[in-house]
Amino acid sequence: MTISLETKIPMLHNFHSYLYQPAWRYTESQEKYKQVLEDFPTISLEFRNLAKVYRDVIVDVCQKMGAGMAEFLQKKVDSLQDWDKYCHYVVGLASIGLSHLFCVLELEDPVIGENTELANSMGIFIEKTIIIRDYLEDQLAGREFWPREVWSRYAKKLSDLARPENTDMAVQCLNELITNALHHVPDVLTYLSRLKNQSVFNFCAIPQVMAVATLAACYNNKQVFRGVVKIRKGQAVTLMMNATNIKAVKGIMYQYVQEIYRKVPSSDPSANKTQQIIVSIRTMCLPNGTAVSRNHYFPICLSCAMLLAGLSWQYLRAV
């Protein structure tokens, strides 16, 4: 971290106001995203050109997100409640804001923006997946986002999970966190089932199926503590091409939670909870008790939302 807390915390609290300050920029960061701060006048200019109804949504999200980030600069993620709260600040708020924008643009019915709990789960599911997958990368960078409430049952220090002699306990901890993340999938399916606009659906669905595929790759996988676990590029392209309607998404979700189900060790402490949430997800995916096919024709024209969702995947898979 190249910006001191004395500078960063007030900046986060005030960041939403910088959108209305044409000349504001920050040039003292050495982080890889420093260009965003250095060229901020370009961003803020585009923001000020938006209609007020859009600006109000963006400012509200930025203000709440800045306050949340400032809070977690001064505390660690200790409890599962903290974990939910942190993920809410990082991505949940953005998902809520986007849902409001979908309604303001009259792309979706008002219920999409009104049910913030479902929108929040959409974001939390993605962020928990990223945090779970990026254990080793975060450890090497001196960051810790796994909740102490969970990992402290398996190790004295979070970094101890990467030690070869702790592999069994590390994988059990990993499985418990993945089980926790899977509890957001029913909300994800409910949210997606209410969408009507094709571009909005593509934009929202693709990161979700990427996330469940990533969790399936990570589940019971000791490689999470030794290197990088990613889904294959070809697999990612297939998911992007297929996730264009709710029937297809349910088929994809069913496929990957079933993959997890087959890998659940009978000796795993979270085995029963993992199996229970997977049964619930399968029930949502198969309301008539018959398999949901993932075979369907891919639209000839990719929507703008498909491109944006692809960019979301770039974030999910990390640079």
Side-chain angles (χ1 to χ4, degrees), residues 32-63:
K32 60 182 178 181
Y33 300 121
K34 64 179 183 177
Q35 185 177 355
V36 174
L37 295 174
E38 292 173 351
D39 294 342
F40 199 75
T42 302
I43 297 171
S44 64
L45 175 62
E46 293 301 320
F47 166 81
R48 291 189 300 278
N49 286 334
L50 295 173
K52 183 179 184 299
V53 66
Y54 307 137
R55 296 200 307 268
D56 288 346
V57 173
I58 295 170
V59 166
D60 180 61
V61 170
C62 288
Q63 184 173 10

Side-chain angles (χ1 to χ4, degrees), residues 1 7 9 75 81 87-88 103 105 109-110 112-113 153 158 183 208 229 233 257 259 261 274 276 279-280 292 298:
M1 183 171 64
T7 299
I9 290 175
K75 62 181 282 189
Q81 185 176 5
C87 294
H88 164 72
C103 298
L105 289 165
D109 292 337
I112 296 300
R153 294 198 292 270
L158 182 56
H183 280 81
Q208 303 299 328
V229 176
K233 290 183 178 180
V257 297
E259 180 180 324
Y261 192 91
T274 307
Q276 287 172 9
V279 167
S280 296
V292 177
F298 181 61

